[in-house]
Amino acid sequence: MNQELTTKQKNVRNLIYLVMLLLLIFKYLIFKYSVLIPSYLFQVLEIAFLCIIFLIAKKNNIINKTSSVFYLIIAIVFITLFIFRNSPITNN
Amino acid sequence: MKLAYILTIGTFLFLGCTKENSTNKKLDISLLHQDKDFVTLISEANSIIDTSLNFTSGNLLSEIEFINHFKKAVNENDLNSRKIISSSLGFKNDTVFWNKRNYIKEKINLLNYKYDLTNISQFLISDAIKKQLNIEPFNQINSLRNKSNALEGPNCLQQFTNCRDNVTAAFAFDQVQCVMAGSLGWTGLGLLLFAACEASAYYKSYVGDRTCLINYNICLK
């Protein structure tokens, strides 16, 4: 299942994990300790940042297709369940 | 092992920097009425006031009795005093009242941390409360009263629907990072990061949904 990675690839992957963890913490702290109106600018910056990370990962051949598809399916299931969540107010 | 070391040091460094910055720089008080913590605080306080106003009892406590029981309940955690205080305010279940009270206390601490409320005048705080509760000047109230009440319901509902759609969009947006974390291979760290990302996304959407509901209730009042 796991493709063999060189030491350099492993280092890049670990670095990407670290960057993504920091991004996650940063996003959470912004959510928790700021006036909560997330700006579009921040979202654009975030998506640009993720695109750069993806390109770096792609360039270093770190992306694993099977795991990508697996997590993508899980995410789609979560989003679908979330869209159809119960509303406390019914529109009659 | 090396990665775990880097992750730990990186996280602590990051959190350390954030904490230091946040203690030095407080947020602008004019934004207080938009703060989600402030919105939930007002809502919780309102719910306690509503319960007390709707409650009619012959056994009302005097001011001194109330203060004494309150001190006992808070300082000594006296169960009897806790029950007396909560029942005097109209709460059948004392845990509900004390949970609300703890929640409000936490929110005040958090807001004080963000805005330094101790050094802000009472007028600015009451102004923020008025803004949050949509208390308009007298002439505006009269003009608003002329509006048909039937129009207010659907408008609030529309706002609520839009708000929930925004929460859904934000949740879907957060999934991008979660999938990215998982797509780097079958690793424990990837799975952990994916789970953390999902948990964060769910928590944010839970808070978002609650805020939508609170705003809807405020809109209807």
Side-chain angles (χ1 to χ4, degrees):
Chain A
M1 292 269 262
N2 263 332
Q3 61 193 39
E4 287 301 319
L5 299 178
T6 62
T7 319
K8 190 197 165 194
Q9 283 176 317
K10 281 182 182 170
N11 285 340
V12 173
R13 188 181 64 186
N14 291 345
L15 205 68
I16 290 175
Y17 276 140
L18 175 66
V19 169
M20 288 183 76
L21 178 75
L22 293 182
L23 181 67
L24 190 68
I25 295 170
F26 182 64
K27 275 167 64 180
Y28 184 76
L29 288 175
I30 283 184
F31 175 78
K32 192 80 182 165
Y33 294 106
S34 70
V35 178
L36 257 184
I37 305 162
S39 64
Y40 285 111
L41 177 69
F42 181 73
Q43 290 189 347
V44 169
L45 281 175
E46 191 191 334
I47 204 86
F49 193 68
L50 287 173
C51 282
I52 292 167
I53 291 175
F54 182 78
L55 287 175
I56 292 169
K58 187 87 180 160
K59 199 179 172 188
N60 287 280
N61 290 324
I62 303 169
I63 303 287
N64 185 324
K65 279 181 187 171
T66 41
S67 70
S68 302
V69 173
F70 175 76
Y71 285 109
L72 191 66
I73 290 168
I74 292 181
I76 289 169
V77 169
F78 282 168
I79 293 169
T80 314
L81 289 173
F82 194 78
I83 287 171
F84 293 106
R85 70 194 185 281
N86 283 334
S87 169
I89 299 154
T90 49
N91 186 9
N92 291 320
Chain B
M1 192 66 189
K2 196 178 173 184
L3 177 72
Y5 176 74
I6 293 169
L7 285 176
T8 317
I9 296 295
T11 309
F12 277 107
L13 274 176
F14 181 78
L15 287 174
C17 293
T18 316
K19 193 165 176 62
E20 197 176 317
N21 286 340
S22 55
T23 47
N24 289 337
K25 195 179 176 184
K26 299 285 180 183
L27 293 170
D28 185 8
I29 190 68
S30 63
L31 298 170
L32 180 66
H33 70 284
Q34 293 176 5
D35 195 303
K36 75 170 174 62
D37 292 314
F38 185 71
V39 174
T40 47
L41 167 72
I42 295 293
S43 167
E44 284 295 313
N46 255 342
S47 76
I48 292 180
I49 292 166
D50 283 347
T51 314
S52 306
L53 288 175
N54 293 330
F55 177 65
T56 46
S57 167
N59 302 321
L60 283 174
L61 294 176
S62 69
E63 194 180 331
I64 297 166
E65 278 176 331
F66 187 89
I67 290 168
N68 286 339
H69 280 300
F70 195 82
K71 277 181 184 172
K72 264 189 176 181
V74 174
N75 298 333
E76 298 164 28
N77 206 15
D78 186 73
L79 287 175
N80 191 38
S81 296
R82 283 169 75 96
K83 276 184 184 167
I84 291 170
I85 289 290
S86 54
S87 61
S88 72
L89 290 169
F91 286 85
K92 285 175 185 169
N93 186 347
D94 63 313
T95 332
V96 175
F97 169 74
W98 289 102
N99 282 347
K100 277 179 187 284
R101 191 246 172 197
N102 287 341
Y103 184 77
I104 287 172
K105 204 177 151 194
E106 277 172 22
K107 287 289 168 198
I108 289 171
N109 286 338
L110 187 61
L111 287 170
N112 196 29
Y113 172 76
K114 288 200 282 190
Y115 297 93
D116 195 13
L117 299 175
T118 44
N119 293 328
I120 291 167
S121 78
Q122 198 74 30
F123 173 76
L124 287 172
I125 296 170
S126 65
D127 193 46
I129 294 171
K130 280 177 188 170
K131 273 182 186 167
Q132 181 51 46
L133 293 174
N134 285 328
I135 298 174
E136 306 288 343
F138 185 70
N139 54 351
Q140 284 185 30
I141 291 174
N142 283 340
S143 64
L144 284 171
R145 274 180 189 159
N146 292 331
K147 278 200 316 184
S148 164
N149 281 338
L151 283 173
E152 286 174 11
N155 280 342
C156 293
L157 194 65
Q158 190 60 50
Q159 279 177 25
F160 176 74
T161 316
N162 290 344
C163 181
R164 267 173 71 92
D165 287 346
N166 283 339
V167 172
T168 311
F171 179 80
F173 185 75
D174 280 346
Q175 297 300 316
V176 178
Q177 196 191 348
C178 301
V179 174
M180 275 278 301
S183 65
L184 296 178
W186 300 103
T187 58
L189 268 173
L191 181 67
L192 209 69
L193 208 56
F194 179 79
C197 181
E198 286 295 342
S200 160
Y202 265 102
Y203 176 70
K204 282 197 264 182
S205 55
Y206 166 72
V207 173
D209 274 349
R210 272 189 60 171
T211 311
C212 292
L213 189 62
I214 289 164
N215 287 339
Y216 175 75
N217 288 331
I218 291 169
C219 175
L220 285 180
K221 279 181 184 173

